[in-house]
Amino acid sequence: MTLTQPLRIGIIGTGSIGGFYGLLLARAGFDVHFLLRSEFDAVSRKGLQVDSQVHGALHLASVNAHRQAADMPPCDWLLVGAKTTSNAALAPLITQAAAPGARVVLLQNGLDVEEQLRPLLPESLHLLGGLCFVCLHRQAPGVVVHQAGGTVNLGYHSGPAVDQAARMALVEEGAALFAAAGIDGKAMPDLRQARWQKLVWNVPYNGLSVLLRAGTQALMADPHSRALIEALMEEVIGGAAACGVQMPDNYAQTLLAFTDALPDYWPSMYHDFAGQRPMELEVIYQRPLRAAQAAGCELPRIRTLYQSLAFIDRRRADAGPGLAGD
């Protein structure tokens, strides 16, 4: 599909995800506007920077930076890169920045992340989900380090598009938007399946990076942690099957091979833990566990991992600053 008219794109949450994709879209010639809070002054002064092992050193010197969503012009597409832990506060920001009939894409991990936002948004807005297969992290205000990947799997959640053909047309429009910026965008016919597929990677690597204080290379090199990763992957696949979601053949092995080829990567949950920010335990662990249990399927390894992480999260919150380095 070819995009034939100018589009205005808004980035809600200009951290690592929003900064990376927003910068690439702006460099491709799109009119991109960034909502920033704590990093507004730094980005307004120095611009956005991505140090990429794939694309090289990228710099967007002139950034359409906004401190308030109400100050943004109406955007045809809104890419939400904020963590799911802030979703309750996102609806007013999205509504203020959205053009009539805007497409809102939640570039977030986890299961059913759209469910909390949908009732709070105008019915006229299209809500989509985007699963980012990318290795990156925020190094400093306005500075993102990109190690590998970039693919975005897009699926339609809800909105005015009433039939599958109309929904897929919008999803393909979004995939073409990313493709125009040199990003591999894939149109997925089933958003729930796409979210379960991403969980196969997120469940083991995010949690174990925190629990074992290890990046992907160390986790993959040790036979015990590697076996645990594979067992957790198979458990996610079994939970998905119980919920009526089938994975591609040999999907766990495909993801293991993908991770073997990565540079050493510390997943986003580890960076949240190290930065003493809330971890996304509900959407990555609690919701899949509840969904599988409701379908009559227990996931004992995932439950143990979740319970360990929840203990760490509560203990850190009770103890205050300093525990992350212990």
Side-chain angles (χ1 to χ4, degrees), residues 47-68:
L48 280 171
Q49 178 180 332
V50 171
D51 296 327
S52 172
Q53 295 182 23
V54 178
H55 305 287
L58 307 176
H59 184 231
L60 184 64
S62 180
V63 176
N64 295 320
H66 304 272
R67 200 188 296 272
Q68 302 292 332

Side-chain angles (χ1 to χ4, degrees), residues 239-259:
C243 295
V245 175
Q246 297 300 318
M247 298 290 171
D249 292 340
N250 301 313
Y251 191 60
Q253 295 304 316
T254 298
L255 291 185
L256 290 168
F258 164 79
T259 311

Side-chain angles (χ1 to χ4, degrees), residues 8 34 39 45 53-54 70 108 169 250 277 285 307 323-324:
R8 181 178 290 132
F34 298 82
E39 299 187 7
R45 186 172 64 255
Q53 295 182 23
V54 178
Q108 298 178 324
N250 301 313
R277 298 182 294 271
Y285 295 100
Q307 289 168 334
L323 187 60

